[in-house]
Coordinates of all heavy atoms in Angstrom, one line a residue:
Chain M
V76 N 33.6 51.3 -21.5 CA 34.9 51.6 -21.0 C 34.9 52.9 -20.2 O 35.4 53.1 -19.1 CB 35.9 51.7 -22.2 CG1 37.2 52.3 -21.8 CG2 36.2 50.3 -22.7
T77 N 34.3 54.0 -20.8 CA 34.3 55.3 -20.1 C 33.6 55.3 -18.8 O 34.1 55.8 -17.8 CB 33.6 56.3 -21.0 OG1 34.2 56.2 -22.4 CG2 33.9 57.8 -20.6
S78 N 32.5 54.6 -18.8 CA 31.7 54.5 -17.5 C 32.4 53.6 -16.5 O 32.5 53.9 -15.4 CB 30.3 53.9 -17.8 OG 29.6 54.6 -18.8
L80 N 35.6 53.1 -16.2 CA 36.8 53.9 -15.7 C 36.3 54.9 -14.7 O 36.9 55.1 -13.6 CB 37.5 54.6 -16.8 CG 38.4 53.7 -17.8 CD1 38.9 54.5 -18.9 CD2 39.4 52.9 -17.1
F81 N 35.2 55.5 -15.0 CA 34.6 56.5 -14.1 C 34.2 55.9 -12.7 O 34.6 56.3 -11.7 CB 33.4 57.1 -14.7 CG 32.7 58.1 -13.8 CD1 33.2 59.4 -13.5 CD2 31.3 57.8 -13.3 CE1 32.5 60.3 -12.7 CE2 30.7 58.7 -12.5 CZ 31.3 59.9 -12.2
D85 N 37.2 57.3 -10.5 CA 36.8 58.6 -9.9 C 35.8 58.5 -8.8 O 35.8 59.3 -7.9 CB 36.2 59.4 -11.1 CG 37.2 59.7 -12.1 OD1 37.2 58.8 -13.1 OD2 37.9 60.7 -12.1
T224 N 27.2 61.8 -20.3 CA 28.5 62.4 -20.8 C 28.8 63.6 -20.0 O 29.9 63.8 -19.5 CB 28.4 62.7 -22.3 OG1 27.7 61.7 -22.9 CG2 29.8 62.7 -22.9
I225 N 27.8 64.5 -19.9 CA 28.0 65.8 -19.2 C 28.3 65.5 -17.7 O 29.2 66.1 -17.1 CB 26.8 66.7 -19.3 CG1 26.6 67.1 -20.8 CG2 26.9 67.9 -18.4 CD1 25.3 67.9 -21.0
F226 N 27.5 64.5 -17.2 CA 27.8 64.1 -15.7 C 29.2 63.6 -15.5 O 29.8 64.1 -14.6 CB 26.7 63.0 -15.4 CG 26.7 62.5 -14.1 CD1 25.9 63.2 -13.1 CD2 27.4 61.4 -13.7 CE1 25.9 62.8 -11.8 CE2 27.4 61.0 -12.4 CZ 26.6 61.6 -11.4
I227 N 29.6 62.7 -16.4 CA 31.0 62.1 -16.2 C 32.0 63.3 -16.3 O 32.9 63.4 -15.6 CB 31.2 61.0 -17.2 CG1 30.4 59.8 -16.8 CG2 32.7 60.6 -17.2 CD1 30.6 58.6 -17.7
F228 N 31.8 64.0 -17.4 CA 32.8 65.1 -17.6 C 32.9 66.1 -16.5 O 34.0 66.4 -16.0 CB 32.3 65.9 -18.9 CG 33.2 66.9 -19.4 CD1 34.4 66.6 -20.1 CD2 32.9 68.3 -19.3 CE1 35.3 67.5 -20.5 CE2 33.8 69.2 -19.8 CZ 35.0 68.9 -20.4
A229 N 31.7 66.5 -16.0 CA 31.7 67.5 -14.9 C 32.4 66.9 -13.6 O 33.2 67.5 -13.0 CB 30.3 67.8 -14.5
F230 N 32.1 65.6 -13.3 CA 32.6 65.0 -12.0 C 34.1 64.6 -12.2 O 34.7 64.5 -11.2 CB 31.7 64.0 -11.5 CG 30.5 64.6 -10.9 CD1 29.2 64.5 -11.4 CD2 30.6 65.2 -9.6 CE1 28.1 65.1 -10.8 CE2 29.6 65.8 -9.0 CZ 28.3 65.7 -9.6
V231 N 34.4 64.3 -13.4 CA 35.9 63.9 -13.5 C 36.7 65.2 -13.3 O 37.8 65.2 -12.7 CB 36.2 63.3 -14.9 CG1 37.7 63.2 -15.2 CG2 35.7 61.9 -15.0
I232 N 36.2 66.3 -13.9 CA 36.9 67.6 -13.8 C 36.9 68.0 -12.3 O 38.0 68.4 -11.7 CB 36.3 68.7 -14.5 CG1 36.2 68.3 -16.0 CG2 36.9 70.0 -14.4 CD1 37.2 68.9 -16.9
T233 N 35.8 67.7 -11.6 CA 35.8 68.1 -10.2 C 36.8 67.3 -9.4 O 37.4 67.8 -8.5 CB 34.3 67.8 -9.7 OG1 33.4 68.3 -10.5 CG2 34.1 68.2 -8.2
H234 N 36.8 66.0 -9.7 CA 37.7 65.1 -9.1 C 39.2 65.6 -9.2 O 40.0 65.7 -8.2 CB 37.5 63.7 -9.7 CG 38.5 62.6 -9.2 ND1 38.9 61.7 -10.1 CD2 39.2 62.5 -8.1 CE1 39.8 60.9 -9.4 NE2 40.0 61.4 -8.2
V235 N 39.5 65.9 -10.5 CA 40.9 66.3 -10.8 C 41.2 67.6 -10.0 O 42.2 67.8 -9.4 CB 41.2 66.4 -12.3 CG1 42.4 67.1 -12.5 CG2 41.1 65.1 -12.9
I236 N 40.2 68.5 -10.0 CA 40.4 69.8 -9.3 C 40.6 69.6 -7.8 O 41.5 70.2 -7.2 CB 39.3 70.7 -9.6 CG1 39.4 71.2 -11.1 CG2 39.3 72.0 -8.7 CD1 38.2 72.0 -11.5
F244 N 48.5 69.6 -9.5 CA 47.9 69.2 -10.7 C 48.5 68.0 -11.2 O 47.9 67.0 -11.6 CB 47.9 70.4 -11.7 CG 47.1 70.1 -13.0 CD1 45.8 69.8 -12.9 CD2 47.8 70.0 -14.2 CE1 45.1 69.5 -14.1 CE2 47.0 69.6 -15.4 CZ 45.7 69.5 -15.2
L248 N 47.1 64.1 -11.7 CA 46.9 63.3 -13.0 C 47.6 62.0 -13.0 O 47.1 61.0 -13.5 CB 47.5 64.2 -14.2 CG 46.7 65.4 -14.7 CD1 47.3 66.1 -15.9 CD2 45.3 65.0 -15.0
S251 N 45.5 59.5 -11.1 CA 44.3 59.2 -11.6 C 44.4 59.3 -13.2 O 43.8 60.3 -13.8 CB 43.1 60.0 -11.1 OG 41.9 59.7 -11.8
P252 N 45.2 58.4 -13.8 CA 45.4 58.6 -15.3 C 44.2 58.3 -16.2 O 44.0 59.0 -17.2 CB 46.5 57.6 -15.6 CG 46.3 56.6 -14.6 CD 45.7 57.2 -13.3
A253 N 43.3 57.6 -15.6 CA 42.1 57.2 -16.4 C 41.3 58.5 -16.6 O 40.5 58.6 -17.6 CB 41.3 56.2 -15.7
S254 N 41.3 59.5 -15.7 CA 40.5 60.7 -15.8 C 40.8 61.4 -17.1 O 39.9 62.0 -17.7 CB 40.8 61.6 -14.7 OG 40.6 60.9 -13.4
V255 N 42.1 61.4 -17.5 CA 42.5 62.1 -18.7 C 41.7 61.4 -19.9 O 41.1 62.2 -20.8 CB 43.9 62.0 -19.0 CG1 44.3 62.7 -20.3 CG2 44.7 62.6 -17.8
L256 N 41.8 60.2 -20.0 CA 41.0 59.5 -21.1 C 39.5 59.8 -21.1 O 39.0 60.1 -22.2 CB 41.2 58.0 -21.0 CG 40.5 57.1 -22.0 CD1 41.1 57.4 -23.4 CD2 40.7 55.6 -21.7
E257 N 39.0 59.8 -19.9 CA 37.5 60.1 -19.8 C 37.3 61.5 -20.3 O 36.3 61.7 -21.0 CB 37.1 59.9 -18.3 CG 37.1 58.5 -17.9 CD 36.9 58.4 -16.4 OE1 36.0 59.0 -15.9 OE2 37.8 57.8 -15.8
V258 N 38.1 62.4 -19.8 CA 37.8 63.8 -20.3 C 37.8 64.0 -21.8 O 37.0 64.7 -22.3 CB 38.8 64.8 -19.6 CG1 38.8 66.2 -20.2 CG2 38.4 64.9 -18.1
V259 N 38.8 63.3 -22.4 CA 39.0 63.4 -23.8 C 37.8 62.9 -24.5 O 37.2 63.5 -25.5 CB 40.3 62.8 -24.3 CG1 40.3 62.6 -25.7 CG2 41.5 63.6 -23.8
V260 N 37.4 61.7 -24.2 CA 36.3 61.0 -24.8 C 35.1 61.8 -24.6 O 34.2 62.1 -25.6 CB 36.1 59.5 -24.2 CG1 34.7 59.0 -24.7 CG2 37.3 58.6 -24.6
C261 N 34.8 62.3 -23.4 CA 33.5 63.1 -23.1 C 33.5 64.3 -23.8 O 32.6 64.8 -24.3 CB 33.4 63.3 -21.6 SG 33.0 61.8 -20.7
F262 N 34.7 65.0 -23.9 CA 34.8 66.3 -24.5 C 34.4 66.2 -26.0 O 33.6 67.0 -26.5 CB 36.1 66.9 -24.4 CG 36.4 68.2 -25.0 CD1 35.8 69.4 -24.3 CD2 37.0 68.4 -26.2 CE1 35.9 70.5 -24.9 CE2 37.1 69.6 -26.7 CZ 36.6 70.8 -26.1
F263 N 34.9 65.2 -26.6 CA 34.5 65.1 -28.1 C 33.1 64.5 -28.3 O 32.5 64.9 -29.3 CB 35.6 64.2 -28.8 CG 36.9 64.9 -29.0 CD1 38.0 64.5 -28.3 CD2 37.0 66.0 -29.8 CE1 39.2 65.2 -28.4 CE2 38.2 66.7 -30.0 CZ 39.3 66.3 -29.3
S264 N 32.7 63.7 -27.4 CA 31.3 63.2 -27.5 C 30.2 64.3 -27.3 O 29.2 64.2 -28.0 CB 31.1 62.1 -26.6 OG 32.1 61.2 -26.6
I265 N 30.5 65.1 -26.3 CA 29.5 66.1 -25.8 C 29.0 66.9 -27.0 O 27.7 67.0 -27.2 CB 30.0 67.0 -24.7 CG1 29.9 66.3 -23.4 CG2 29.1 68.2 -24.6 CD1 30.4 67.1 -22.2
W266 N 29.8 67.4 -27.9 CA 29.4 68.3 -28.9 C 28.4 67.5 -29.8 O 27.3 68.0 -30.1 CB 30.6 68.7 -29.8 CG 31.6 69.5 -29.0 CD1 32.8 69.1 -28.7 CD2 31.4 70.8 -28.4 NE1 33.4 70.1 -27.9 CE2 32.6 71.1 -27.7 CE3 30.4 71.7 -28.4 CZ2 32.8 72.4 -27.1 CZ3 30.5 73.0 -27.8 CH2 31.7 73.2 -27.2

Side-chain angles (χ1 to χ4, degrees):
Chain M
V76 165
T77 313
S78 308
L80 289 175
F81 177 71
D85 299 88
T224 324
I225 294 174
F226 184 85
I227 291 180
F228 187 72
F230 281 106
V231 166
I232 302 261
T233 311
H234 171 213
V235 171
I236 290 175
F244 185 63
L248 288 183
S251 177
S254 306
V255 180
L256 177 66
E257 290 166 53
V258 165
V259 167
V260 170
C261 289
F262 181 76
F263 288 111
S264 310
I265 280 181
W266 300 110

